[in-house]
Every structure is written in structure tokens, then in C-alpha cells.
Amino acid sequence: MTAADIYFEEGGLQRIRPYFYKFATHAKGRWVGRTILEVFRSEFRDRPPGYYEPAIAQGIIELNNENVDPFTVVRNGDLVTHFIHRHEPPVTTQPLAIVQETKGGLLIIDKPGSIPVHPSGRYNYNSVVKILEKKHGYRSLFPINRLDRLTSGLMLVGLNAEVARRMESDLSTHRIQKEYICKVKGVFPTGRIVCDQPIRVIAHKLSLNCVDPNEGKPSLTEFELLSVDDDQLHSIVYCRPKTGRTHQIRVHLQFLGYPIANDPLYCNPEVWGDSLGKNGDLPLALPPLSELPTPTDTSATETPAVLTPPPPAPNNEVKPPAGKDKKANKMAGTTSSSLLSDESKATWGPLVRRMESWKTKQELAVLVDVPADADAPRMCNKCSDPFLPDPTPDQLYIWLHAWRYSGPGWSYETKLPEWASDATEHIDRVKYQGESV
């Protein structure tokens, strides 16, 4: 299919026409010994729990390409497949810009917020890899630095495996300098601020990471104030991470007491309390989350007794690799309980449960907010999925931007985002001035 067959713009967002898709993966270790129904109900959050039993019974979900009973136990090596009518979330219409392509096989791009790097979850064609393939004609792509979906900025992409390996080696040995810009809550202190607090993963499935002096990995980030808004509510801050932990800048800023101001994960008083996790403080007790919204019209969330099985995915539809990925099998979607020792569960368990509750609340709120236009269809007539509301502009990105990367003999940078334009006149005084640049 061509880009014109896949992408279109409407309502200020880039959209994907719904399509049938066959999702395939080998059973992960934590699935073994559980029923196929239990696996889908506990591991996949994109559909109501009531969807899965009739889907298995009707052959929409299969094991080893065969119809099975919902209570069939998953074994090691089983192939799990799911035919779905895929509705991808819309993303920004801001173009994915090509900064430069080198003769040596390195592609430098400027990624907008809202777009994930790889196809994952509900995203496939609305991902960096697929946009580069479908809109720009690239075929072999090896992303080197991976930005979060909500983070914008500079990305290095190898056009062959050798370039990617070399650049990844330079990253891991700290021969590449990374420089970010962010907008934080409050008036950030002047001078060079260094945070060296160890960081650990608390729950992969929730993408939750925290400072943990006992079990965290060594982490170091340097910060410097660039400007303060006229209202004294926000600051633009220069960030230079010296290590590469997941969410490192976001977690260190939270610890310092100046979280990224629109960060839904680390600047969230419903989860962290009034202190927002400053100095690693976790409140001993938090008031209960506000009540979960209750749909007044449940037609959008109820699962019909009879589903319409989609046809097999056409040959030109993209299918995820069915081979085993040992790293992905080990890490993807790992539950919090499998990550935490008994001692850590006492510390982090309440926070994890609170984050899980908050995310569940957000998911239900999305269903409740489905427009109640009497003339508009509420559900897809092919798969009975509810039509979800579009993301608001502030949900498309966070105020964190990968501005500049430098290595031996080279340097690439992007324009500053609009929300950081006040810092333009200050950026030259802080940027990295290594001998090789």
C-alpha cells in the first residue's frame, strides 16, 4: 500500500484508515501455565475484558493457528495470534523532518511528539519506522537513540546494521554527548546543577522508573537554567544526561523538585501527592483517587455477544515478526510483582497500585468522553470497537526535546520547539563545546 492509501489528515491530526491486521507472537515466559483467556484479560488493556472469551471461541484469537477453548493452557513455544480490525490513534500533523542523510549511512531526523519510534501497542503505521518507510521510501532502518512517544527531537537512525552497531557502541561508551531542552514546573535554580541519584525500573508495564538509592543503577544528569517565564511558573532548562537510563531526565527533575510541567507520569499529584516525589519522598498515605467515572451510556463499552470475525490479513498488510525476541520476552510488559523483591514491594507496591488505578481511571474516562452526538456512530460496524475521542493538543507531547547530539568529528541539532523559543538567546552559552565538535 502507498502512503496515500494509509495516511490522511483530518481535524488537525494525522490519521490511519482502519484495517485488518494479524498480530502474532510467541508465548512469553510469564504466560506459560496460564489459560489463554487469563493471559489476554490480564496482559492486554486495549479492549474490555468481556471481549476476549467470545473472540477466542470464534477463532479470532488462536493458538498455533488453531481454534482453541478459552481455558486452554498456554505452553512454552506456543504461537499466539489475534486477528483484529485495527484503529490506530491519531498523531500530530507536524511532519517528521529529515535533518540530514550522510554518505556513510546515517539518517538524522527531527521526531515530533506523539509518535512512537517502533510499531507497538495500538500504533503501527503511525510510528517513526513506518512513516520513514511509507512516506520517505526507506527500507532498512536501525534506530540508534530511542525517544519516548511523547518526547520530540533529534534521532539517529542507521541505514545499515554496521552503522547502527558503531553508533550504539559510541553511545554506550559515552563518546556521544546528548543535549536536551525541557520546560519545568517552578523557578529552577541558577548555576550548574548535578543530579547523580541512582534510578531503577519499578514497573515496566507502567513505564514507571524511580530514584532508588539501594537498588538503582548509577545515573548522572547535568542541568542549567536558560530562562524563566514572565509569570514565574515555569523555567526552560538545559539538560545533559551522562548516562542513559529510561526516563532519566524526567526522574531526576522530579527528584530535584522541578518536574517537567506537563509530564503525566512524573508531575501527577493524584499519584505522587503534593510533593510530586521531590527528594524521593513518598507520602505515607494518600487520599483515595477521585471516583472512577461511570458511563451513562454503556453502549460504547459493552461487548456484543456475537463478534464479526475479520478476514485473514491480506499479504500486503504488515505483520509483526513471529520469531522469539529473548530481550522482549524477558522485559516487555513485565508485571510489577516480578520486578520487586519482598522488601521493595513494601516501599514501591502502594505507588505501583496507585499508578495502575490512575491509568485505569484514564482509560475509562476516555470511553466516557466519547461524543454523544446522536447522529454519529458510536462503534465500528466491523469490530464493535467504540470510536474514541481525539487526543487534545496538550496530550500529544511533553515539554522535553532532544536538541543536539555530538560525537567524534560531528554534531547535529534541531531547531528549538516553540515552547522553548524564549531560550534561543541563551543556548549558545551552555551547549557542549568538546574538542571534537
Side-chain angles (χ1 to χ4, degrees), residues 106 142-146 155-158 163-164 167-168 171 176:
L106 180 65
F142 302 86
I144 296 161
N145 66 311
R146 297 166 179 85
M155 277 191 61
L156 307 174
V157 182
V163 168
M167 296 294 288
E168 286 172 350
L171 270 175
I176 294 178

Side-chain angles (χ1 to χ4, degrees), residues 87-122:
H87 295 251
E88 293 196 33
V91 299
T92 179
T93 56
Q94 181 183 341
L96 191 158
I98 306 295
V99 177
Q100 187 173 336
E101 179 181 342
T102 72
K103 293 180 179 179
L106 180 65
L107 182 67
I108 301 94
I109 65 172
D110 187 356
K111 181 188 91 68
S114 79
I115 303 176
V117 175
H118 294 282
S120 61
R122 296 175 61 206

Side-chain angles (χ1 to χ4, degrees), residues 26 59 79 81 152 193-194 198 226 235 262 264 278 313 327 361 386 415 420 426:
H26 281 90
L79 178 66
T81 55
S152 61
I193 306 298
V194 177
L226 292 176
S235 304
N262 65 342
K278 181 178 180 180
K327 183 177 180 180
K361 173 186 172 184
K415 294 180 180 179
H426 306 288

